[in-house]
Amino acid sequence: NAGVMQNPRHLVRRRGQEARLRCSPMKGHSHVYWYRQLPEEGLKFMVYLQKENIIDESGMPKERFSAEFPKEGPSILRIQQVVRGDSAAYFCASSPQAGDRFFGPGTRLTVL
Amino acid sequence: QQQVKQSPQSLIVQKGGISIINCAYENTAFDYFPWYQQFPGKGPALLIAIRPDVSEKKEGRFTISFNKSAKQFSLHIMDSQPGDSATYFCAASMIGTASKLTFGTGTRLQVTL
């Protein structure tokens, strides 16, 4: 049973470009959560999604950031017009209806 | 009300010693308290979790102690090993609604020989 998968593992973008981060939850998990971690800091909640629905986006910046979890395929975190401050590790976690959350290996975004 | 406060920020323990990390929460609706272990460059890995209906849970060398009235919980690592050197995060959520985890700020543990 594969764990949570994220790709790419490393992503380099220039200021103003778009970044797309993908997350495939564990088999049988219908809940996906995205977190951001800055160097030497904790994990900050961004958004919680179920299939085709955003449940809680209270941690998402109001501009440039969006997330989706379509009926088919992985969850996508999209950052438009990236800035240097977006450089961070982005982690996805998944869970079943009500259970333990398991994290993926993360995508490390570097904005030049 | 959503905060989870974690201490200490860093901890150095000798091999074989006991590592103790503490967390306190404010939201009395929280009913799920996991601990995560994170190695540099890796994602957080679920270590152990507890529900408030028990005061202690043990898995191998790792024990969670839970004090509902004080709204505190702690992680004890017995017989600490150099391989335990990592950053540890406590977290809390309301499991019934599969809601978001709120994380503590992390404790960097170093186990020396």
Side-chain angles (χ1 to χ4, degrees), chain B residues 47-58:
Chain B
L47 200 57
I48 187 172
I50 196 168
R51 301 287 302 277
D53 51 350
V54 296
S55 60
E56 186 174 281
K57 183 175 181 180
K58 184 176 181 179

mmCIF file with all atom_site columns, all heavy atoms in Angstrom, chain B residues 47-58:
data_model
loop_
_atom_site.group_PDB
_atom_site.id
_atom_site.type_symbol
_atom_site.label_atom_id
_atom_site.label_alt_id
_atom_site.label_comp_id
_atom_site.label_asym_id
_atom_site.label_entity_id
_atom_site.label_seq_id
_atom_site.pdbx_PDB_ins_code
_atom_site.Cartn_x
_atom_site.Cartn_y
_atom_site.Cartn_z
_atom_site.occupancy
_atom_site.B_iso_or_equiv
_atom_site.pdbx_formal_charge
_atom_site.auth_seq_id
_atom_site.auth_comp_id
_atom_site.auth_asym_id
_atom_site.auth_atom_id
_atom_site.pdbx_PDB_model_num
ATOM 1  N N   . LEU B 1 47 ? 3.946   9.222  14.672 1.00 0.00 ? 47 LEU B N   1
ATOM 2  C CA  . LEU B 1 47 ? 4.666   8.406  15.652 1.00 0.00 ? 47 LEU B CA  1
ATOM 3  C C   . LEU B 1 47 ? 3.686   7.667  16.572 1.00 0.00 ? 47 LEU B C   1
ATOM 4  O O   . LEU B 1 47 ? 3.735   6.461  16.732 1.00 0.00 ? 47 LEU B O   1
ATOM 5  C CB  . LEU B 1 47 ? 5.552   9.338  16.483 1.00 0.00 ? 47 LEU B CB  1
ATOM 6  C CG  . LEU B 1 47 ? 6.730   8.786  17.256 1.00 0.00 ? 47 LEU B CG  1
ATOM 7  C CD1 . LEU B 1 47 ? 7.681   8.050  16.344 1.00 0.00 ? 47 LEU B CD1 1
ATOM 8  C CD2 . LEU B 1 47 ? 7.454   9.935  17.970 1.00 0.00 ? 47 LEU B CD2 1
ATOM 9  N N   . ILE B 1 48 ? 2.793   8.404  17.151 1.00 0.00 ? 48 ILE B N   1
ATOM 10 C CA  . ILE B 1 48 ? 1.843   7.870  18.118 1.00 0.00 ? 48 ILE B CA  1
ATOM 11 C C   . ILE B 1 48 ? 0.761   8.914  18.320 1.00 0.00 ? 48 ILE B C   1
ATOM 12 O O   . ILE B 1 48 ? 1.012   10.108 18.170 1.00 0.00 ? 48 ILE B O   1
ATOM 13 C CB  . ILE B 1 48 ? 2.562   7.542  19.456 1.00 0.00 ? 48 ILE B CB  1
ATOM 14 C CG1 . ILE B 1 48 ? 1.637   6.832  20.439 1.00 0.00 ? 48 ILE B CG1 1
ATOM 15 C CG2 . ILE B 1 48 ? 3.181   8.783  20.070 1.00 0.00 ? 48 ILE B CG2 1
ATOM 16 C CD1 . ILE B 1 48 ? 2.372   6.317  21.694 1.00 0.00 ? 48 ILE B CD1 1
ATOM 17 N N   . ALA B 1 49 ? -0.463  8.468  18.632 1.00 0.00 ? 49 ALA B N   1
ATOM 18 C CA  . ALA B 1 49 ? -1.570  9.402  18.831 1.00 0.00 ? 49 ALA B CA  1
ATOM 19 C C   . ALA B 1 49 ? -2.430  8.938  19.986 1.00 0.00 ? 49 ALA B C   1
ATOM 20 O O   . ALA B 1 49 ? -2.472  7.734  20.300 1.00 0.00 ? 49 ALA B O   1
ATOM 21 C CB  . ALA B 1 49 ? -2.405  9.529  17.562 1.00 0.00 ? 49 ALA B CB  1
ATOM 22 N N   . ILE B 1 50 ? -3.146  9.882  20.601 1.00 0.00 ? 50 ILE B N   1
ATOM 23 C CA  . ILE B 1 50 ? -3.978  9.546  21.753 1.00 0.00 ? 50 ILE B CA  1
ATOM 24 C C   . ILE B 1 50 ? -5.303  10.271 21.664 1.00 0.00 ? 50 ILE B C   1
ATOM 25 O O   . ILE B 1 50 ? -5.388  11.363 21.088 1.00 0.00 ? 50 ILE B O   1
ATOM 26 C CB  . ILE B 1 50 ? -3.249  9.890  23.083 1.00 0.00 ? 50 ILE B CB  1
ATOM 27 C CG1 . ILE B 1 50 ? -3.909  9.192  24.268 1.00 0.00 ? 50 ILE B CG1 1
ATOM 28 C CG2 . ILE B 1 50 ? -3.197  11.408 23.297 1.00 0.00 ? 50 ILE B CG2 1
ATOM 29 C CD1 . ILE B 1 50 ? -3.070  9.258  25.550 1.00 0.00 ? 50 ILE B CD1 1
ATOM 30 N N   . ARG B 1 51 ? -6.338  9.648  22.188 1.00 0.00 ? 51 ARG B N   1
ATOM 31 C CA  . ARG B 1 51 ? -7.640  10.280 22.348 1.00 0.00 ? 51 ARG B CA  1
ATOM 32 C C   . ARG B 1 51 ? -7.817  10.608 23.826 1.00 0.00 ? 51 ARG B C   1
ATOM 33 O O   . ARG B 1 51 ? -7.220  9.963  24.684 1.00 0.00 ? 51 ARG B O   1
ATOM 34 C CB  . ARG B 1 51 ? -8.744  9.313  21.893 1.00 0.00 ? 51 ARG B CB  1
ATOM 35 C CG  . ARG B 1 51 ? -8.645  8.856  20.459 1.00 0.00 ? 51 ARG B CG  1
ATOM 36 C CD  . ARG B 1 51 ? -9.020  9.947  19.497 1.00 0.00 ? 51 ARG B CD  1
ATOM 37 N NE  . ARG B 1 51 ? -10.358 10.464 19.705 1.00 0.00 ? 51 ARG B NE  1
ATOM 38 C CZ  . ARG B 1 51 ? -11.457 9.887  19.225 1.00 0.00 ? 51 ARG B CZ  1
ATOM 39 N NH1 . ARG B 1 51 ? -11.381 8.783  18.524 1.00 0.00 ? 51 ARG B NH1 1
ATOM 40 N NH2 . ARG B 1 51 ? -12.631 10.444 19.448 1.00 0.00 ? 51 ARG B NH2 1
ATOM 41 N N   . PRO B 1 52 ? -8.661  11.577 24.163 1.00 0.00 ? 52 PRO B N   1
ATOM 42 C CA  . PRO B 1 52 ? -8.753  12.026 25.561 1.00 0.00 ? 52 PRO B CA  1
ATOM 43 C C   . PRO B 1 52 ? -9.458  11.057 26.501 1.00 0.00 ? 52 PRO B C   1
ATOM 44 O O   . PRO B 1 52 ? -9.567  11.338 27.694 1.00 0.00 ? 52 PRO B O   1
ATOM 45 C CB  . PRO B 1 52 ? -9.520  13.353 25.450 1.00 0.00 ? 52 PRO B CB  1
ATOM 46 C CG  . PRO B 1 52 ? -10.236 13.284 24.159 1.00 0.00 ? 52 PRO B CG  1
ATOM 47 C CD  . PRO B 1 52 ? -9.408  12.436 23.253 1.00 0.00 ? 52 PRO B CD  1
ATOM 48 N N   . ASP B 1 53 ? -9.921  9.928  26.006 1.00 0.00 ? 53 ASP B N   1
ATOM 49 C CA  . ASP B 1 53 ? -10.585 8.985  26.896 1.00 0.00 ? 53 ASP B CA  1
ATOM 50 C C   . ASP B 1 53 ? -9.593  8.102  27.661 1.00 0.00 ? 53 ASP B C   1
ATOM 51 O O   . ASP B 1 53 ? -10.000 7.312  28.524 1.00 0.00 ? 53 ASP B O   1
ATOM 52 C CB  . ASP B 1 53 ? -11.592 8.114  26.130 1.00 0.00 ? 53 ASP B CB  1
ATOM 53 C CG  . ASP B 1 53 ? -10.986 7.476  24.889 1.00 0.00 ? 53 ASP B CG  1
ATOM 54 O OD1 . ASP B 1 53 ? -9.855  7.855  24.516 1.00 0.00 ? 53 ASP B OD1 1
ATOM 55 O OD2 . ASP B 1 53 ? -11.633 6.604  24.294 1.00 0.00 ? 53 ASP B OD2 1
ATOM 56 N N   . VAL B 1 54 ? -8.295  8.252  27.338 1.00 0.00 ? 54 VAL B N   1
ATOM 57 C CA  . VAL B 1 54 ? -7.254  7.543  28.093 1.00 0.00 ? 54 VAL B CA  1
ATOM 58 C C   . VAL B 1 54 ? -6.208  8.546  28.555 1.00 0.00 ? 54 VAL B C   1
ATOM 59 O O   . VAL B 1 54 ? -6.047  9.601  27.959 1.00 0.00 ? 54 VAL B O   1
ATOM 60 C CB  . VAL B 1 54 ? -6.582  6.430  27.269 1.00 0.00 ? 54 VAL B CB  1
ATOM 61 C CG1 . VAL B 1 54 ? -7.572  5.356  26.909 1.00 0.00 ? 54 VAL B CG1 1
ATOM 62 C CG2 . VAL B 1 54 ? -5.927  7.004  26.030 1.00 0.00 ? 54 VAL B CG2 1
ATOM 63 N N   . SER B 1 55 ? -5.516  8.225  29.634 1.00 0.00 ? 55 SER B N   1
ATOM 64 C CA  . SER B 1 55 ? -4.522  9.154  30.174 1.00 0.00 ? 55 SER B CA  1
ATOM 65 C C   . SER B 1 55 ? -3.107  8.817  29.725 1.00 0.00 ? 55 SER B C   1
ATOM 66 O O   . SER B 1 55 ? -2.190  9.632  29.894 1.00 0.00 ? 55 SER B O   1
ATOM 67 C CB  . SER B 1 55 ? -4.578  9.148  31.700 1.00 0.00 ? 55 SER B CB  1
ATOM 68 O OG  . SER B 1 55 ? -4.303  7.845  32.191 1.00 0.00 ? 55 SER B OG  1
ATOM 69 N N   . GLU B 1 56 ? -2.930  7.641  29.139 1.00 0.00 ? 56 GLU B N   1
ATOM 70 C CA  . GLU B 1 56 ? -1.588  7.263  28.714 1.00 0.00 ? 56 GLU B CA  1
ATOM 71 C C   . GLU B 1 56 ? -1.680  6.229  27.596 1.00 0.00 ? 56 GLU B C   1
ATOM 72 O O   . GLU B 1 56 ? -2.558  5.374  27.584 1.00 0.00 ? 56 GLU B O   1
ATOM 73 C CB  . GLU B 1 56 ? -0.805  6.668  29.899 1.00 0.00 ? 56 GLU B CB  1
ATOM 74 C CG  . GLU B 1 56 ? 0.655   6.380  29.605 1.00 0.00 ? 56 GLU B CG  1
ATOM 75 C CD  . GLU B 1 56 ? 1.405   5.926  30.842 1.00 0.00 ? 56 GLU B CD  1
ATOM 76 O OE1 . GLU B 1 56 ? 1.762   6.789  31.669 1.00 0.00 ? 56 GLU B OE1 1
ATOM 77 O OE2 . GLU B 1 56 ? 1.630   4.705  30.972 1.00 0.00 ? 56 GLU B OE2 1
ATOM 78 N N   . LYS B 1 57 ? -0.745  6.346  26.662 1.00 0.00 ? 57 LYS B N   1
ATOM 79 C CA  . LYS B 1 57 ? -0.650  5.353  25.594 1.00 0.00 ? 57 LYS B CA  1
ATOM 80 C C   . LYS B 1 57 ? 0.813   5.089  25.333 1.00 0.00 ? 57 LYS B C   1
ATOM 81 O O   . LYS B 1 57 ? 1.607   6.024  25.216 1.00 0.00 ? 57 LYS B O   1
ATOM 82 C CB  . LYS B 1 57 ? -1.334  5.854  24.323 1.00 0.00 ? 57 LYS B CB  1
ATOM 83 C CG  . LYS B 1 57 ? -1.331  4.831  23.188 1.00 0.00 ? 57 LYS B CG  1
ATOM 84 C CD  . LYS B 1 57 ? -2.129  5.329  22.011 1.00 0.00 ? 57 LYS B CD  1
ATOM 85 C CE  . LYS B 1 57 ? -2.140  4.300  20.886 1.00 0.00 ? 57 LYS B CE  1
ATOM 86 N NZ  . LYS B 1 57 ? -2.936  4.780  19.720 1.00 0.00 ? 57 LYS B NZ  1
ATOM 87 N N   . LYS B 1 58 ? 1.157   3.812  25.238 1.00 0.00 ? 58 LYS B N   1
ATOM 88 C CA  . LYS B 1 58 ? 2.549   3.433  25.074 1.00 0.00 ? 58 LYS B CA  1
ATOM 89 C C   . LYS B 1 58 ? 2.706   2.577  23.833 1.00 0.00 ? 58 LYS B C   1
ATOM 90 O O   . LYS B 1 58 ? 1.936   1.647  23.602 1.00 0.00 ? 58 LYS B O   1
ATOM 91 C CB  . LYS B 1 58 ? 3.022   2.659  26.315 1.00 0.00 ? 58 LYS B CB  1
ATOM 92 C CG  . LYS B 1 58 ? 4.479   2.284  26.305 1.00 0.00 ? 58 LYS B CG  1
ATOM 93 C CD  . LYS B 1 58 ? 4.868   1.619  27.616 1.00 0.00 ? 58 LYS B CD  1
ATOM 94 C CE  . LYS B 1 58 ? 6.348   1.254  27.613 1.00 0.00 ? 58 LYS B CE  1
ATOM 95 N NZ  . LYS B 1 58 ? 6.754   0.621  28.884 1.00 0.00 ? 58 LYS B NZ  1
#
